[in-house]
Amino acid sequence: MSCKRQAYRRLRPGQMAKTNRKYTIMKGYSWLRGTLDTCQWGRWVWNVQNVTKYSFICWLMMQGKLLTKDKLTNRGISSDGLCVLCGNAPESIEHLSYECHFFKLCINEVLQLLKISITNYEGRHLWKRIGRKMGSKFRKEFSYAILVALSYHIWRGRNEALWKCVVPRPSKICAQIKKECKVRVMEIINKIKRDKDRRWIEEVYS
């Protein structure tokens, strides 16, 4: 028996399988890229029921890339750093996301639409707290779509207040969100197998 065959016979089964694996570009790229941290907020930012442009603005918000007044002030572009929606605190992504009084008025309207109650609005994990209240996967996805639309419209309302000096009413924003999300959810409502979820969405839009 040759030395090569003897060495091959001494390999354990796991080692034999390892020697038979073929190299692929995907495996090489995965090894070169290394281990990446999981992005939990991607589940609601890139939710299937979201409007794409809303998801993009929300993605910029979660990445801290929106040009709020605190960033403009640091760059010497703006001298006024107050929030144009409430006028009570410096404008930042964190402020617009969960601290602003205008946001709290809007989120109250949204929670009434979803028929749930939450007292703690602070932090970037609001979507998790709302998701736990919703129950089924379909309801969670719908609530995420509502939250992403809210983030978009708050940013849009901020821009309108900045450039047009007009602050939109929270009730108007909520009505617009409800209308826009209805178009999206009606595209997939026929695929819903659970009658309970179907009746629930009909109650929301009744």
Side-chain angles (χ1 to χ4, degrees):
M1 185 180 294
S2 65
C3 296
K4 184 177 181 181
R5 181 173 294 182
Q6 288 178 357
Y8 185 77
R9 179 171 289 182
R10 285 197 297 269
L11 290 174
R12 293 189 294 273
Q15 291 176 310
M16 292 176 64
K18 188 174 182 180
T19 57
N20 292 332
R21 283 192 300 181
K22 294 182 179 180
Y23 172 81
T24 62
I25 294 177
M26 184 179 70
K27 291 178 181 178
Y29 176 75
S30 298
W31 173 82
L32 185 64
R33 184 181 59 180
T35 305
L36 299 177
D37 296 332
T38 56
C39 179
Q40 294 185 349
W41 51 261
R43 286 182 290 171
W44 73 281
V45 171
W46 301 111
N47 171 44
V48 67
Q49 294 190 30
N50 294 355
V51 178
T52 306
K53 70 175 181 178
Y54 296 176
S55 292
F56 178 70
I57 293 297
C58 197
W59 176 75
L60 290 176
M61 179 189 73
M62 297 302 293
Q63 295 281 356
K65 300 298 183 181
L66 292 178
L67 290 179
T68 48
K69 280 192 172 183
D70 59 338
K71 291 185 174 64
L72 296 177
T73 302
N74 292 335
R75 297 180 184 183
I77 299 175
S78 175
S79 58
D80 178 20
L82 284 179
C83 174
V84 292
L85 294 175
C86 67
N88 297 326
E91 183 186 274
S92 63
I93 291 179
E94 290 75 15
H95 175 76
L96 292 176
S97 299
Y98 48 84
E99 296 174 355
C100 183
H101 179 67
F102 183 82
F103 165 80
K104 293 179 180 179
L105 293 176
C106 292
I107 195 66
N108 283 331
E109 295 276 349
V110 166
L111 294 177
Q112 290 178 13
L113 171 65
L114 297 175
K115 297 179 174 57
I116 59 175
S117 60
I118 290 178
T119 56
N120 184 12
Y121 303 149
E122 297 183 1
R124 291 195 171 189
H125 298 292
L126 175 63
W127 64 276
K128 282 187 177 181
R129 292 191 287 272
I130 291 179
R132 294 190 193 104
K133 296 273 187 177
M134 300 310 297
S136 68
K137 180 182 177 181
F138 171 78
R139 297 187 191 186
K140 286 182 180 180
E141 290 176 348
F142 180 75
S143 67
Y144 296 160
I146 293 287
L147 284 177
V148 168
L150 176 61
S151 299
Y152 169 83
H153 280 285
I154 286 179
W155 180 247
R156 181 180 178 181
R158 175 262 185 194
N159 291 334
E160 289 182 355
L162 181 63
W163 299 109
K164 298 181 181 180
C165 299
V166 177
V167 178
R169 296 192 306 273
S171 58
K172 183 179 179 181
I173 286 181
C174 187
Q176 192 169 0
I177 290 172
K178 185 177 179 180
K179 180 180 179 181
E180 292 168 350
C181 290
K182 181 179 181 180
V183 176
R184 190 72 169 178
V185 76
M186 288 305 171
E187 295 177 357
I188 61 174
I189 195 171
N190 294 327
K191 301 178 183 179
I192 301 174
K193 297 181 180 179
R194 295 183 60 180
D195 293 335
K196 187 181 292 185
D197 289 336
R198 187 187 296 271
R199 289 194 299 268
W200 179 81
I201 201 67
E202 289 174 354
E203 290 177 1
V204 170
Y205 286 103
S206 59

